[in-house]
């Protein structure tokens, strides 16, 4: 995705901010939200996999369905 940015600089030429069109911002923000959701799903699956490994090795006792539902 190519985004056209305009850099805002101070009187010394130091970049202080950027500007982009609302259309490009909305597209960027939508993709960013999808990336954050993907990362969270990946982390959740990794945690679940690690928990299964602990159950199978006997290092952690599985919860009952009632315990699981009470934790929600």
């Amino acid at each position: 995705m190519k985004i056209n940015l305009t850099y805002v600089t101070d009187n010394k030429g130091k970049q202080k901010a950027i500007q982009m069109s609302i259309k490009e911002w909305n597209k960027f923000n939508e993709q960013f939200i999808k990336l954050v959701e993907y990362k969270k799903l990946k982390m959740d699956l990794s945690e679940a996999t690690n928990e299964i490994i602990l159950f199978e090795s006997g290092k952690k006792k599985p919860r009952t369905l009632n315990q699981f539902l009470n934790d929600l």
Side-chain angles (χ1 to χ4, degrees):
M1 176 172 131
K2 185 174 182 335
I3 299 175
N4 295 314
L5 300 176
T6 302
Y7 293 91
V8 180
T9 58
D10 63 14
N11 56 0
K12 295 180 181 177
K14 186 175 178 184
Q15 294 177 346
K16 294 292 185 176
I18 60 168
Q19 292 177 330
M20 68 173 62
S21 72
I22 294 293
K23 182 179 179 180
E24 288 179 316
W25 166 253
N26 288 336
K27 191 183 295 185
F28 172 83
N29 196 42
E30 182 180 306
Q31 288 184 353
F32 178 74
I33 289 169
K34 286 179 183 179
L35 179 63
V36 169
E37 290 170 350
Y38 171 77
K39 184 176 178 181
K40 182 179 178 341
L41 176 62
K42 227 176 131 177
M43 287 177 56
D44 289 346
L45 288 173
S46 178
E47 289 176 18
T49 301
N50 290 336
E51 193 169 12
I52 289 170
I53 291 168
L54 291 174
F55 292 153
E56 290 176 345
S57 68
K59 294 179 182 176
K60 186 173 182 179
K61 186 177 177 183
R63 294 178 287 170
T64 66
L65 179 58
N66 283 336
Q67 291 168 328
F68 174 77
L69 292 175
N70 287 336
D71 288 344
L72 295 179

